[in-house]
Amino acid sequence: MKEVIKDAKTHMDKAVEVFKDELKTLRTGRANLGILDHIRVDYYGTPTPLNELATLSIPEPTLILIQPWDPSVLSAIVHAIQKSNLGLNPVDDGKVIRLPVPPPTQERRKELVKLAHEYAERARLAVRNVRRDANEAIKKLEKDKKISEDDMRRGMDEVQKLTDEHIEAINKILEAKEKEILEV
């Protein structure tokens, strides 16, 4: 039973981490390299992560600087950023790409908050699915007479406690991100 609970905790932790990673892709008005994490550049026919093709830096709070190691890939990077639907306009000067990060409009901020809520709901659902699977595994142990009914109840209570903790963590992270997005 301890193995089932440990496994459930690991999976719930993973759901929270995935949620944090998804939130990094939301643009808040401050330059953040996380918004470029999901961008893949067609590099000699292979979709390659942007951070493997260039040095990424933030020289100013509202500017991302992309310095490719191979200058021939500049146009491919610009194209990948434009089709990524980030709403950013890369400026290519032949050596580096400047990516100004303008503050989002109030309407865009509301869309971002809505998207953050969707990500949070997916994370909560993942945690609940882990709870369901763990509870089924614990019930099966009791059915197979490997644990007593009292142990089953204790185990299910522990799984519920883990679930509550992880959902609370997701809610706190969402609240902080929402505040960050809505700051003007």
Side-chain angles (χ1 to χ4, degrees):
M1 185 172 74
K2 283 185 176 136
E3 199 58 39
V4 170
I5 292 169
K6 183 178 166 198
D7 194 40
K9 182 178 180 353
T10 303
H11 283 82
M12 287 180 187
D13 288 345
K14 181 72 176 150
V16 173
E17 286 306 310
V18 167
F19 173 58
K20 285 179 183 175
D21 288 343
E22 284 179 327
L23 287 183
K24 285 180 190 171
T25 64
L26 297 180
R27 189 164 66 86
T28 60
R30 277 199 236 49
N32 174 3
L33 296 180
I35 64 174
L36 303 175
D37 284 350
H38 70 284
I39 294 181
R40 300 283 181 260
V41 179
D42 188 31
Y43 186 61
Y44 295 108
T46 307
T48 309
L50 179 58
N51 62 1
E52 291 181 14
L53 296 173
T55 303
L56 307 174
S57 61
I58 302 175
E60 302 169 22
T62 59
L63 181 71
I64 296 175
L65 199 61
I66 303 167
Q67 199 165 8
W69 297 309
D70 178 1
S72 67
V73 79
L74 270 169
S75 62
I77 292 173
V78 168
H79 180 70
I81 292 170
Q82 287 171 336
K83 74 175 195 180
S84 70
N85 200 16
L86 283 174
L88 299 175
N89 295 318
V91 179
D92 173 5
D93 73 0
K95 290 187 171 113
V96 297
I97 298 169
R98 285 173 176 57
L99 198 58
V101 182
T105 62
Q106 199 59 34
E107 184 178 313
R108 179 69 178 144
R109 288 175 195 273
K110 287 178 182 160
E111 287 173 22
L112 290 171
V113 167
K114 194 173 177 184
L115 196 56
H117 280 272
E118 286 174 24
Y119 291 161
E121 192 50 44
R122 275 204 310 246
R124 288 187 205 106
L125 186 63
V127 168
R128 289 184 196 118
N129 286 340
V130 171
R131 174 187 61 192
R132 183 197 60 220
D133 294 344
N135 284 344
E136 285 173 4
I138 290 170
K139 285 177 187 173
K140 186 175 181 339
L141 287 173
E142 193 267 339
K143 185 179 169 211
D144 296 344
K145 305 281 186 232
K146 293 183 178 170
I147 61 171
S148 70
E149 195 174 325
D150 288 346
D151 286 341
M152 177 187 75
R153 293 203 193 297
R154 271 192 291 276
M156 290 173 79
D157 287 346
E158 203 167 323
V159 168
Q160 183 59 48
K161 194 172 126 197
L162 270 177
T163 303
D164 294 342
E165 288 170 5
H166 284 81
I167 298 243
E168 181 63 29
I170 290 168
N171 291 340
K172 282 183 179 168
I173 294 165
L174 174 64
E175 193 178 307
K177 187 65 173 186
E178 195 173 332
K179 186 177 174 191
E180 181 185 337
I181 291 170
L182 294 174
E183 274 180 6
V184 179

